[in-house]
């Protein structure tokens, strides 16, 4: 593994340890490998989520209420 | 009177069995004994059951027989044997979630759906295998072994209602209930060659099912035919004031479209949404289905959906954040009591930030509206992929999470995110004899149209070609249900 990648992996592992320790989690050594893999994946997911969203995308109403009022009929959401 | 061991009973649909029960040609007791015999003979090979409730089943069956004799007919599921994923509370019986943490838990109440099935006169045969707490993965370090695929026991069943898929496919129950947070009804249905429905969010109460994610959990049936699946949904759907997500709506005849065909229906086909990375045989099955629906008189048109990575990021962030919240204390204090996969997946919830979670909820609204506009403004149903690959071998799962991409390549989570109803439909077999499937998605609360389209597809499947593709050793040792329609035409 190139030295840069190794340094990045070590930094990611330290970051993961700190984040979990802050939540009161001490990862057993025999489970560490999968937790680190999951943390790496989570960072990728977070990058997808952290894109600008329009103001109307607020989480108060998750479903388009108009679209679910009547079975089998499409009702457009307000633009 | 039918002998207790009449061969082939397990291959009949619920409607046919009901007709025989009502004609006096068959008793619920005889039917139950038939399934108990099959469980004893077959289940040691596929591990679909965590608990077999033979005593309870015989009592349920005797009651069903007495009721019918007295003229008390409780409906289509009267006397019909079923199984429940072992996350559903069942009063007086163990509910373990396949975990050391819940190993000694005896339920004191019934889940809402179990109450409904009892009222419908159905016969509980037992509790079915699950991935630990409906998450995790196939694991040999839990109190019970993982379920195996009846079509080839070296292969995965799909996650996480593993026993539900295996038991229905092997003909050990007439139907089963599972839970679906990111595809856990539809995945096992697809990999085991059965039907499996994730209903519209709010249609079926989740009360009494051990939660994984409040926002994404759905309860749904797995069964052998589209009609059977519709009959089960009819029995378990309904308003529950004690489930905050439950929706109060009029009862629906979900079998109304059975036998009606698809002529005149408009079907959206988002081929570009799933084609990249899709197994060749799975993709061919989907293209065949699209061509078939066209031949049957439906209008099939390609559409585009937002990128899958958005649905995946949104759904997984919410699922893991909520799952972590539910398990936080045990994850801190008894980590070794979780299976390795479950722990490694759930503990990540501690690393999800408030900003990530809020962004996921904002994105969820956008995606729900985007799917409505792209798929259901001008179409009645959407045809898409369920799993992108046939079931992998169980031995590809490594000691640590994650498994190879192919093992978890499903396109089911988008509709947990959007709440639309989604049905996994068998679509034949690979050259190696492993089931493949497709997914039909509908407008909110329009499950009836999904069953209509699925039934039309089921009626023209060619059972002979599928049967020929089964590996002989497997089919002779396990004898899963024969593919294709089994009820009288």
């Amino acid at each position: 593994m190139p030295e840069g990648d190794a340094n990045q992996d070590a930094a990611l592992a330290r970051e993961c340890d700190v984040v979990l320790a802050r939540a009161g989690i001490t990862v057993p050594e025999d489970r560490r490998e999968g937790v680190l893999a999951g943390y790496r994946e989570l960072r990728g997911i977070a990058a997808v989520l952290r894109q600008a969203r329009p103001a109307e995308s607020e989480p108060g109403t998750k479903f388009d209420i108009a679209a679910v009022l009547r079975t089998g009929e499409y009702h457009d959401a307000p633009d | 009177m039918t002998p207790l061991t009449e061969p082939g009973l397990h291959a009949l649909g619920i409607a046919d069995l009901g007709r025989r029960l009502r004609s006096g040609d068959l008793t619920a007791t005889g039917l139950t004994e038939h399934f108990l015999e099959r469980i004893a003979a077959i289940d040691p090979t596929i591990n679909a059951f965590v608990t077999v409730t033979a005593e309870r089943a015989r009592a349920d069956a005797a009651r069903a027989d007495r009721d019918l004799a007295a003229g008390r007919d409780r409906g289509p599921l009267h006397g019909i044997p079923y199984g429940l994923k072992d996350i559903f509370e069942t009063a007086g019986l163990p509910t373990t979630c396949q975990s050391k943490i819940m190993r000694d838990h005896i339920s004191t109440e019934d889940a809402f759906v179990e109450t409904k099935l009892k009222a419908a006169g159905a016969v509980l045969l037992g509790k079915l295998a699950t991935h630990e707490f409906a998450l995790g993965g196939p694991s040999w370090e839990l109190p019970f072994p993982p379920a195996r695929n009846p079509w080839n026991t070296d292969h995965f069943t799909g996650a996480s209602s593993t026993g539900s898929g295996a038991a229905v496919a092997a003909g050990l129950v007439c139907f089963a209930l599972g839970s679906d947070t990111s595809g856990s009804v539809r995945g096992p249905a697809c990999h085991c060659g059965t039907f499996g429905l994730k209903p519209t969010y709010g249609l079926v109460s989740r009360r009494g099912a051990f939660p994984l994610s409040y926002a994404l959990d759905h309860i749904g049936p797995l069964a052998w035919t589209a009609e059977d699946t519709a009959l089960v949904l009819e029995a378990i759907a309904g308003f529950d004031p004690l489930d905050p997500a439950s929706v109060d709506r009029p009862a629906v005849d979900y079998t109304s479209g059975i036998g009606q065909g698809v002529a005149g229906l408009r079907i959206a086909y988002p081929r570009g949404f799933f084609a990249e990375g899709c197994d060749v045989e799975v993709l061919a099955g989907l293209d065949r289905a699209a061509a078939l629906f066209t031949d049957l008189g439906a209008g099939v048109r390609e559409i585009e959906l937002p990128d899958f990575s958005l649905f995946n990021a949104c759904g997984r962030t919410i699922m893991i954040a909520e799952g972590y919240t539910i398990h936080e204390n045990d994850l801190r204090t008894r980590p070794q009591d979780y299976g390795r996969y479950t722990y490694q997946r759930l503990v990540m919830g501690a690393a999800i930030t408030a900003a990530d979670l809020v962004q996921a909820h904002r994105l969820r609204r956008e995606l729900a509206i985007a799917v409505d506009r792209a798929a259901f403004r001008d179409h009645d149903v959407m045809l898409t992929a369920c799993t992108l690959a046939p079931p992998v071998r169980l031995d590809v799962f490594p000691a640590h999470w994650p498994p190879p991409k192919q093992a978890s390549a499903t396109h089911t989570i988008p509709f947990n995110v959007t709440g639309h109803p989604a049905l996994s439909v068998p679509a034949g077999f690979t050259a190696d004899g492993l089931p493949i499937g497709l997914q039909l998605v509908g407008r909110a609360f329009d499950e009836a149209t999904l069953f209509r389209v699925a039934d039309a597809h089921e009626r023209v499947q060619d059972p002979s070609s599928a049967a020929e593709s089964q590996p002989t050793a497997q089919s002779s040792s396990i004898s899963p249900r024969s593919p294709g329609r089994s009820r009288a035409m």
Side-chain angles (χ1 to χ4, degrees), chain B residues 311-328:
Chain B
F311 293 97
N312 189 49
C314 172
R316 288 177 63 186
T317 299
I318 295 170
M319 178 175 77
I320 296 300
E322 294 191 347
Y324 173 79
T325 305
I326 291 161
H327 288 272
E328 185 176 39

Side-chain angles (χ1 to χ4, degrees), chain B residues 437-448:
Chain B
L438 54 86
Q439 182 172 214
L440 297 172
V441 185
R443 291 174 174 156
F445 300 106
D446 192 18
E447 280 80 358

Side-chain angles (χ1 to χ4, degrees), chain A residues 50 53 57 71-72 76, chain B residues 249 356 362 366 377 443:
Chain A
R50 289 180 187 180
R53 310 239 75 84
S57 295
T71 301
D76 212 343
Chain B
R249 296 177 61 85
D356 293 336
R362 295 178 74 194
E366 284 180 45
R377 190 198 301 257
R443 291 174 174 156

Side-chain angles (χ1 to χ4, degrees), chain B residues 253-335:
Chain B
D253 175 6
Y254 292 109
T255 62
S256 60
I258 299 293
Q260 299 301 307
V262 295
L265 289 181
R266 300 161 302 169
I267 299 177
Y269 189 41
R271 195 175 189 279
F273 183 59
F274 58 81
E276 189 180 326
C278 192
D279 173 87
V280 174
E281 289 178 287
V282 173
L283 185 58
L286 279 149
D287 285 339
R288 270 199 309 275
L292 173 69
F293 290 138
T294 303
D295 289 345
L296 293 174
V300 178
R301 192 167 68 93
E302 286 200 28
I303 62 158
E304 291 184 6
L305 290 179
D307 194 84
F308 175 78
S309 64
L310 293 169
F311 293 97
N312 189 49
C314 172
R316 288 177 63 186
T317 299
I318 295 170
M319 178 175 77
I320 296 300
E322 294 191 347
Y324 173 79
T325 305
I326 291 161
H327 288 272
E328 185 176 39
N329 188 53
D330 286 334
L331 289 168
R332 280 179 180 155
T333 57
R334 46 194 301 196

Side-chain angles (χ1 to χ4, degrees), chain A residues 23 28 30-31 34 39 41 45 49-51 53-54 57 61-63 67-68 71-72 74 76-77 79, chain B residues 249 316-317 332 335-336 338 344 353 356 359 361-362 365-366 372-373 376-377 400-401 418 443 445:
Chain A
D30 68 334
R31 297 181 169 211
Y39 187 69
E41 199 177 1
I45 285 174
L49 290 174
R50 289 180 187 180
Q51 297 169 9
R53 310 239 75 84
S57 295
T61 305
K62 292 167 190 82
F63 301 113
V68 300
T71 301
Y74 178 79
D76 212 343
D79 288 319
Chain B
R249 296 177 61 85
R316 288 177 63 186
T317 299
R332 280 179 180 155
Q336 298 288 9
Y338 286 91
Q344 289 169 336
T353 68
D356 293 336
Q359 284 292 82
H361 281 294
R362 295 178 74 194
R365 175 167 166 74
E366 284 180 45
D372 265 323
R373 286 182 175 165
F376 300 119
R377 190 198 301 257
H400 298 278
W401 193 261
T418 67
R443 291 174 174 156
F445 300 106

Side-chain angles (χ1 to χ4, degrees), chain B residues 391-404:
Chain B
V392 296
R393 289 178 58 88
L394 280 166
D395 57 16
V396 307
F397 285 85
H400 298 278
W401 193 261

Side-chain angles (χ1 to χ4, degrees), chain B residues 158-173:
Chain B
S160 68
S161 307
T162 58
S164 301
V168 172
L172 306 188
V173 293

